[in-house]
C-alpha cells in the first residue's frame, strides 16, 4: 500500500472520528469518570509517542542540534497557542456531574487556583451561557490551528518512516500509525469541546453540526498542506521532514504534559485508575 493511500485512509478515519466526537453529546450520556479515564489514556499515549517515536525519528533524519531547535519551536508554539486561546475543556457535557460507583463527588462549580487565567479551562463551570457564546469562537480558532498542526504531524510522521525505508531499514507497512492513533483518540475530545461550548451558549443543533463538520476537515487540511510543501523535493534530501517531526514531538509534549496530565492532578478520586 502506497504512503499516499495510507495518508488518505488515516485522514478519512480521523474525519469520521472528529464528526463522531461532535455527535457524542446528542446520543451518549458521558460521565465524569469515563471522561477522565479516557483523558488519562490519551495523555500517556501522546507522551509516549512524542518521546519514544517522533523524537527518535527526527534524530534519525537530521542532526541532533537541528532537531532540538525545532522541538523547542513546536513546544513554544503550542504553549502560547494554549495560553492565549484557552480552548481545551475536558469534562462531561452535562449540567450536574454524577457520582459514579462510590466515587467522591467533584464539584466543578468553582475554579482551581493553580495559575490558569482563562475562564473556559477544564475546571470552569458551564453555567454562564453568555461567556460560552463568546468563548466558543476562540476555542474554534485554537482547536482548528491545533488540528492543522496535528495534520502536519501525521503527514511528517508518514514521510519520516518512508525516509527511513529509503535509508535501508525494514519496510513499514503502516507508516505514521502511532501518530494516527494519537490523533484519532484525541480529536473526538476537541469536537466534544466545541459542541459543548456552543450548546452552553444556546446555539442550534444545525449550527453545531456545521461547525463540527468544518472542524473535522482541519487535520486533512494540515496533512495536505505539508505534502504540498514537499512537492518536487526528494524525501531523502528534505530537512523539512526532520524539522516537522521534531516540531510535532514538541507539540505532543506540551499537550500531554501541560494540558492533559495536569488536568488529572485535581481529581482526588480514582487516583489508581487515572
Amino acid at each position: 500500500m502506497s504512503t499516499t493511500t495510507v495518508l488518505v485512509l488515516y485522514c478519512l478515519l480521523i474525519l469520521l472520528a472528529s464528526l463522531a466526537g461532535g455527535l457524542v453529546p446528542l446520543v451518549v450520556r458521558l460521565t465524569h469518570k469515563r471522561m477522565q479515564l479516557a483523558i488519562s489514556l490519551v495523555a500517556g499515549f501522546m507522551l509516549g509517542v512524542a518521546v519514544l517515536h517522533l523524537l527518535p525519528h527526527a534524530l534519525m533524519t537530521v542532526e541532533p542540534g537541528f532537531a532540538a531547535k525545532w522541538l523547542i519551536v513546536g513546544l513554544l508554539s503550542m504553549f502560547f497557542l494554549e495560553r492565549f486561546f484557552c480552548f481545551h475543556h475536558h469534562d462531561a457535557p452535562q449540567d450536574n456531574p454524577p457520582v459514579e460507583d462510590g466515587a467522591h463527588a467533584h464539584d466543578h462549580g468553582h475554579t482551581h487556583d493553580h495559575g490558569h487565567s482563562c475562564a473556559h479551562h477544564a475546571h470552569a463551570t458551564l453555567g454562564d451561557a453568555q461567556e460560552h457564546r463568546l468563548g466558543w469562537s476562540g476555542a474554534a480558532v485554537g482547536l482548528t490551528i491545533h488540528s492543522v498542526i496535528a495534520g502536519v504531524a501525521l503527514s511528517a510522521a508518514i514521510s519520516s518512516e518512508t525516509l527511513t525505508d529509503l535509508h535501508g531499514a525494514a519496510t513499514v507497512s503502516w507508516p505514521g500509525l502511532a501518530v494516527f492513533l494519537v490523533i484519532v483518540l484525541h480529536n473526538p475530545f476537541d469536537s466534544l469541546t466545541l459542541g459543548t461550548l456552543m450548546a452552553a451558549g444556546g446555539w442550534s443543533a444545525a449550527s453545531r453540526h456545521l461547525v463540527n463538520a468544518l472542524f473535522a476537515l482541519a487535520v486533512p487540511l494540515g496533512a495536505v498542506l505539508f505534502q504540498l510543501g514537499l512537492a518536487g523535493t526528494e524525501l531523502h534530501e528534505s530537512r523539512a521532514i526532520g524539522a516537522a517531526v521534531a516540531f510535532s514531538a514538541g507539540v505532543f509534549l506540551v499537550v500531554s504534559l501541560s494540558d492533559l496530565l495536569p488536568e488529572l492532578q485535581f481529581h482526588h478520586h480514582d487516583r489508581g485508575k487515572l
Side-chain angles (χ1 to χ4, degrees):
M1 186 180 297
S2 69
T3 54
T4 300
T5 302
V6 172
L7 181 60
V8 170
L9 179 59
Y10 285 168
C11 286
L12 286 175
L13 292 175
I14 290 168
L15 189 149
L16 292 175
S18 184
L19 290 173
L23 296 175
V24 164
L26 302 179
V27 296
V28 178
R29 180 176 172 82
L30 293 175
T31 66
H32 175 68
K33 179 188 288 187
R34 291 171 184 168
M35 182 70 78
Q36 296 305 311
L37 289 174
I39 290 172
S40 180
L41 171 67
V42 173
F45 192 68
M46 185 174 286
L47 177 61
V49 168
V51 177
L52 302 176
H53 185 74
L54 290 177
L55 185 56
H57 268 289
L59 293 174
M60 287 190 296
T61 306
V62 295
E63 61 272 19
F66 185 77
K69 291 176 183 177
W70 280 99
L71 176 76
I72 294 297
V73 171
L75 189 151
L76 291 178
S77 297
M78 184 54 62
F79 172 80
F80 285 115
L81 178 64
E82 293 203 344
R83 178 66 174 171
F84 290 106
F85 282 100
C86 304
F87 49 79
H88 277 123
H89 174 90
H90 298 127
D91 207 351
Q94 53 198 28
D95 295 329
N96 298 310
V99 179
E100 182 182 298
D101 300 333
H104 298 294
H106 186 73
D107 182 9
H108 284 271
H110 63 280
T111 301
H112 298 283
D113 183 13
H114 56 290
H116 293 293
S117 61
C118 35
H120 304 302
H121 196 63
H123 309 289
T125 179
L126 292 179
D128 191 339
Q130 183 60 29
E131 279 190 1
H132 287 289
R133 180 174 289 277
L134 298 173
W136 81 266
S137 57
V141 172
L143 288 171
T144 298
I145 297 174
H146 178 25
S147 294
V148 169
I149 292 173
V152 171
L154 177 65
S155 192
I158 291 175
S159 298
S160 72
E161 293 185 15
T162 304
L163 176 65
T164 302
D165 294 343
L166 293 175
H167 286 174
T171 300
V172 180
S173 300
W174 292 93
L177 180 60
V179 177
F180 161 73
L181 290 175
V182 164
I183 297 172
V184 81
L185 288 172
H186 184 260
N187 237 48
F189 291 108
D190 293 342
S191 297
L192 181 61
T193 294
L194 281 180
T196 301
L197 292 176
M198 291 186 72
W203 292 88
S204 67
S207 298
R208 300 201 303 270
H209 292 328
L210 176 61
V211 170
N212 187 37
L214 293 174
F215 172 69
L217 297 173
V219 172
L221 174 63
V224 169
L225 290 176
F226 183 77
Q227 288 299 317
L228 290 177
L230 290 181
T233 65
E234 294 292 335
L235 286 180
H236 63 280
E237 296 176 352
S238 177
R239 289 163 62 83
I241 294 174
V245 173
F247 179 92
S248 303
V251 168
F252 280 21
L253 280 174
V254 169
V255 175
S256 61
L257 292 178
S258 73
D259 183 56
L260 297 182
L261 289 179
E263 158 77 4
L264 304 177
Q265 295 298 318
F266 299 97
H267 297 272
H268 299 294
H269 55 277
D270 300 315
R271 287 180 175 179
K273 292 179 182 179
L274 296 177

